[in-house]
Amino acid sequence: MNLHIVLYPNKVLRTKTKKVKFPLTNQERKLIKDMLDTVKHADGVGLAAPQVNQSLALIVVNLESMGLKPFVLINPEIIKASKKKNEMDEGCLSIPGVFGFVPRPEEIEFEAQDVDGNKFRAKVDGMLAKVIQHEIDHINGVLIIDRIKKYTQGKELVK
Ligand SMILES: [Zn+2]
């Protein structure tokens, strides 16, 4: 089911989320499925639960263009980040029309849980690392407009 995407400046986007507890409720399982549907429908590369009005530490990533099956990360946290940073022109489904260069660590190591609550760690870089950092920002109430160094579009839309 396609969910409504919450837009800036809705307060839920600025609220630190709650950790997800296990086992997942049926509602949470449905939410994950719906978030995967929603990110594909919106043609986005990632989506965090606050963007569909759920203040939970839950994100989905949709990088099928890179040959990755869409996946969910529950309670994700960055454990290590490279000193080396680079910038990508980022947008956000919750802030339509606004784009800009956001400097972020090139490589990160993160920990997360799967739908069964199993913890795992992974090291990622490139586009995948950018998307995961963008979405983890969302679960901490941080938005690209806090991080953009140089706007490429829509600066006037942000006060
Ligand atoms: Zn976003």
Side-chain angles (χ1 to χ4, degrees):
M1 192 179 92
N2 190 35
L3 302 171
H4 175 71
I5 294 177
V6 168
L7 299 182
Y8 174 80
N10 191 304
K11 273 196 181 126
V12 72
L13 296 172
R14 289 303 199 180
T15 306
K16 175 134 173 64
T17 57
K18 285 201 183 83
K19 280 205 164 192
V20 177
K21 294 192 181 111
F22 291 89
L24 296 182
T25 63
N26 286 338
Q27 266 176 330
E28 285 162 344
R29 285 179 186 276
K30 169 111 170 56
L31 172 65
I32 291 168
K33 195 180 166 297
D34 289 344
M35 282 174 63
L36 287 164
D37 289 345
T38 304
V39 74
K40 289 183 217 169
H41 186 263
D43 209 16
V45 290
L47 187 71
Q51 294 181 276
V52 292
N53 209 24
Q54 301 293 322
S55 200
L56 286 170
L58 184 65
I59 70 174
V60 296
V61 174
N62 178 42
L63 283 173
E64 280 190 299
S65 57
M66 287 178 56
L68 290 172
K69 254 183 92 174
F71 61 90
V72 61
L73 297 177
I74 302 173
N75 301 327
E77 272 177 52
I78 293 168
I79 296 169
K80 265 192 215 165
S82 64
K83 284 211 183 84
K84 191 175 178 201
K85 292 185 179 183
N86 51 29
E87 299 182 355
M88 198 178 82
D89 195 8
E90 294 188 24
C92 180
L93 293 173
S94 292
I95 317 174
V98 174
F99 293 87
F101 283 98
V102 179
R104 297 187 189 274
E106 187 172 80
E107 184 182 80
I108 57 160
E109 186 174 356
F110 68 90
E111 185 173 87
Q113 283 167 282
D114 66 17
V115 289
D116 298 314
N118 301 307
K119 279 193 179 174
F120 63 96
R121 285 183 180 201
K123 241 186 208 173
V124 293
D125 60 11
M127 177 78 173
L128 180 56
K130 301 292 188 214
V131 174
I132 289 174
Q133 289 177 81
H134 177 122
E135 302 310 330
I136 289 179
D137 270 354
H138 272 300
I139 66 177
N140 293 314
V142 176
L143 299 171
I144 54 169
I145 53 175
D146 308 329
R147 295 198 186 272
I148 288 177
K149 281 283 154 64
K150 185 168 180 261
Y151 282 86
T152 51
Q153 198 185 308
K155 188 177 184 191
E156 68 284 357
L157 301 173
V158 183
K159 43 176 190 307

